[in-house]
């Protein structure tokens, strides 16, 4: 599994070049282009240049500062509708992905990497058709809808449903069809139902949005998932990566909730927030194994709390225990953090060999690519090279405020 992130970068590049395999075309593709009949990029018309990248003047809600912005040229004509404030829309429009660059969509159409399948009791899901290694990019797509979470405060349900319907109606026809192809679980208003059943919460520029990415919403929930997702803010793409090796024939899954909860809390959370009774593999374990899992989760949560800061007298052996518990529990996406906290603990206790070992393990198991998380990866890289010069070297907490 080592070096898996480089592998992702390679796959990602391979994906991008595949999608732009053109023999001789007069111009390079940009945001405002779609493929013509000869597969060469052709310009998309701009409906109202004065509002570009938006199609028209924003349509604003009567009772709040929120407005609907649609760009049907976004992502080579896939389009996007965003409900947010005027100033947020202006800062989103300044991301180059809206004007000059193409979002890195992966895999290209017609791929054979995974396929859809009907699972009894869980609806449609997605099955791998190839081997994915830990860290591999599985797909990368742009959202069709972004709904600013703050819009929900101070607006009525009728008003919200009406603007959400307008947002969907404003999308290009094929994209609208893709929106309606999503499952609705609650049997309420068709647009609201699809948003509630399939929306992901994502953070962008300090704000939280409900994002609709139908390709990603095809994945069912599993409390021990084999994939995780995040939004890449610079390209506005929702990217899914493998958290462990996935073999052909295995279902691809995300966790919709915090996985570090005991069985009863996970079930209750999924019922109250998502409206379904979880029938995932981990929740279907026999009672004895379920209890063992719950006990491990309780220990993991305790250790995480103690180890999250060096301002506690916790010794390195407890950090090693955390690593073992996460492994036993199949919390693949948590490994980087567990290794990192263990490296820091050994670093505080001036154990050079083990600091090196666990910092290296953290680097090799790094899954997160968000800017802030990548900064921690760089710290781990430096720690693996030169433990004695790391900030935590010799910093065993003996009470008091600071070192
Ligand atoms: C985001 S969608 C996932 C794709 C959906 N199965 C479909 O047919 O398009 C979420 C819905 O899938 C079903 N689902 C997903 N994971 C499930 C699980 N672990 N147990 C039971 N139902 C699940 C529920 O009906 C839920 O409302």
């Amino acid at each position: 599994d080592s070096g898996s992130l480089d592998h992702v970068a390679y796959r990602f590049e391979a994906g991008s070049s595949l999608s732009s395999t053109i023999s001789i075309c007069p111009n390079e593709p940009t945001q405002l282009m779609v493929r013509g009949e000869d597969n060469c990029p052709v310009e998309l018309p701009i409906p109202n240049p004065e509002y570009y990248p938006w199609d028209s003047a924003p349509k604003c809600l009567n009772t709040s500062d929120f407005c609907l912005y649609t760009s049907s040229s976004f992502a080579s004509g896939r389009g996007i509708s965003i409900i947010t404030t005027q100033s947020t829309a202006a800062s989103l429009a300044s991301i180059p992905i809206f004007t000059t660059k193409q979002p890195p969509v992966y895999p290209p159409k017609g791929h054979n990497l995974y396929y859809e399948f009907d699972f009894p009791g869980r609806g449609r899901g997605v099955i791998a058709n190839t081997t994915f290694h830990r860290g591999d990019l599985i797909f990368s797509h742009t959202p069709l809808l972004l709904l600013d979470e703050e819009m929900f405060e101070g607006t009525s349900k009728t008003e919200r449903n009406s603007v959400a319907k307008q947002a969907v109606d404003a999308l290009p026809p094929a994209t609208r069809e893709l929106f309606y192809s999503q499952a609705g679980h609650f049997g309420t208003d068709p647009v609201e139902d699809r948003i509630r059943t399939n929306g992901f919460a994502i953070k962008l520029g300090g704000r939280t949005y409900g994002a609709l990415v139908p390709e990603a919403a095809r994945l069912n929930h599993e409390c021990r998932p084999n994939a995780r997702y995040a939004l890449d803010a610079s390209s506005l793409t929702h990217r899914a990566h493998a958290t462990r090796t996935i073999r052909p024939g295995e279902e691809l899954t995300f966790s919709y909730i915090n996985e570090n909860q005991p069985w009863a809390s996970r079930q209750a959370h999924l019922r109250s927030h998502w409206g379904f009774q979880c029938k995932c593999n981990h929740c279907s374990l026999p009672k004895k194994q379920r209890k063992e899992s719950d006990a491990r989760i309780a220990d993991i949560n305790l250790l995480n709390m103690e180890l999250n800061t060096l301002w506690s007298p916790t010794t390195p052996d407890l950090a090693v225990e955390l690593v073992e518990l996460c492994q036993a529990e199949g919390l693949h996406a948590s490994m980087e953090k567990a290794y990192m906290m263990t490296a820091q603990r050994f670093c505080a206790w001036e154990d050079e060999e083990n600091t090196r070992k666990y910092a290296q393990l953290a680097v090799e198991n790094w899954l997160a690519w968000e800017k802030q998380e990548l900064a921690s990866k760089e710290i781990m890289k430096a720690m693996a090279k030169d433990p004695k010069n790391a900030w935590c070297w010799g910093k065993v907490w003996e009470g008091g405020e600071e070192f």
Side-chain angles (χ1 to χ4, degrees):
D1 275 354
S2 74
S4 52
L5 277 178
D6 296 338
H7 188 51
V8 171
Y10 166 74
R11 289 278 299 270
F12 201 72
E13 281 308 309
S16 325
S17 63
L18 252 179
S19 60
S20 55
T21 314
I22 322 153
S23 39
I24 308 161
C25 289
N27 36 27
E28 281 299 301
T30 67
Q31 177 59 50
L32 273 178
M33 288 178 167
V34 283
R35 299 236 173 264
E37 276 173 14
D38 58 355
N39 203 28
C40 282
V42 287
E43 294 278 350
L44 275 170
I46 305 177
N48 289 304
E50 71 271 35
Y51 297 116
Y52 183 72
W54 315 119
D55 293 354
S56 59
K59 296 177 184 67
C60 299
L61 291 167
N62 293 332
T63 56
S64 75
D65 297 338
F66 289 85
C67 304
L68 164 63
Y69 299 82
T70 300
S71 170
S72 48
S73 58
F74 181 68
S76 300
R78 174 171 158 108
I80 187 168
S81 281
I82 304 174
I83 303 174
T84 191
T85 60
Q86 211 173 343
S87 61
T88 310
S91 66
L92 285 174
S94 69
I95 307 177
I97 214 73
F98 270 98
T99 47
T100 50
K101 278 190 180 167
Q102 295 241 24
V105 169
Y106 180 82
K109 275 192 184 128
H111 72 86
N112 201 18
L113 300 177
Y114 44 83
Y115 58 92
E116 287 183 18
F117 186 80
D118 259 313
F119 291 91
R122 277 183 287 156
R124 252 179 324 173
V126 180
I127 295 190
N129 206 20
T130 186
T131 301
F132 291 100
H133 298 284
R134 182 180 166 91
D136 275 359
L137 180 72
I138 301 175
F139 54 72
S140 163
H141 293 285
T142 53
L144 312 182
L145 282 185
L146 285 179
L147 311 170
D148 197 317
E149 207 183 48
E150 284 182 24
M151 158 182 102
F152 291 85
E153 289 154 27
T155 51
S156 71
K157 191 170 167 166
T158 319
E159 210 174 7
R160 284 199 303 269
N161 284 356
S162 155
V163 71
K165 178 157 187 333
Q166 287 180 53
V168 175
D169 287 348
L171 291 168
T175 309
R176 214 181 306 148
E177 209 173 292
L178 185 60
F179 174 85
Y180 283 109
S181 76
Q182 299 176 106
H185 179 79
F186 298 92
T188 52
D189 166 86
V191 171
E192 184 209 359
D193 195 359
R194 284 170 176 85
I195 292 173
R196 278 179 71 194
T197 305
N198 301 284
F200 292 93
I202 55 159
K203 285 217 158 67
L204 187 61
R207 297 180 87 89
T208 307
Y209 296 85
L212 269 286
V213 189
E215 294 87 347
R218 299 268 194 257
L219 269 63
N220 282 322
H221 164 87
E222 163 65 55
C223 290
R224 295 293 170 263
N226 52 26
R228 81 185 272 279
Y229 67 86
L231 188 90
D232 176 32
S234 64
S235 64
L236 215 70
T237 48
H238 179 281
R239 302 173 12 149
H241 283 189
T243 58
R244 60 166 170 81
T245 305
I246 306 170
R247 301 280 173 210
E250 266 188 77
E251 183 176 6
L252 297 175
T253 52
F254 285 142
S255 174
Y256 300 178
I257 56 165
N258 168 14
E259 297 141 55
N260 289 12
Q261 303 180 64
W263 177 84
S265 313
R266 297 196 309 269
Q267 288 278 322
H269 192 149
L270 285 162
R271 211 174 307 116
S272 61
H273 286 65
W274 288 82
F276 66 87
Q277 189 192 346
C278 182
K279 299 192 184 93
C280 80
N281 293 325
H282 197 64
C283 283
S284 311
L285 286 174
K287 209 169 176 181
K288 183 173 174 280
Q289 279 166 268
R290 194 203 293 167
K291 282 196 163 166
E292 287 165 1
S293 160
D294 281 357
R296 273 194 295 267
I297 290 168
D299 288 345
I300 286 170
N301 287 337
L302 261 178
L303 287 173
N304 262 327
M305 228 159 54
E306 282 192 35
L307 290 161
N308 215 2
T309 163
L310 273 189
W311 274 248
S312 88
T314 317
T315 48
D317 52 320
L318 289 179
V320 174
E321 195 183 325
L322 174 70
V323 165
E324 287 165 0
L325 282 166
C326 288
Q327 267 162 346
E329 199 39 35
L331 290 168
H332 309 286
S334 304
M335 293 315 299
E336 65 201 25
K337 203 165 171 220
Y339 287 133
M340 181 168 78
M341 291 194 294
T342 311
Q344 285 169 351
R345 239 357 101 160
F346 277 118
C347 169
W349 261 259
E350 300 186 5
D351 180 332
E352 192 175 351
E353 196 186 325
N354 277 313
T355 306
R356 233 184 254 288
K357 174 181 159 183
Y358 283 96
Q360 188 57 34
L361 279 166
V363 173
E364 286 169 7
N365 284 278
W366 210 266
L367 278 180
W369 63 90
E370 296 92 334
K371 217 172 169 186
Q372 203 183 339
E373 312 276 346
L374 285 178
S376 302
K377 184 183 177 187
E378 289 309 309
I379 293 173
M380 283 297 111
K381 266 188 190 166
M383 196 182 286
K385 245 192 210 154
D386 187 5
K388 288 184 174 171
N389 263 321
W391 65 275
C392 44
W393 191 255
K395 299 271 192 309
V396 176
W397 191 77
E398 285 161 353
E401 280 294 299
E402 283 179 40
F403 291 117

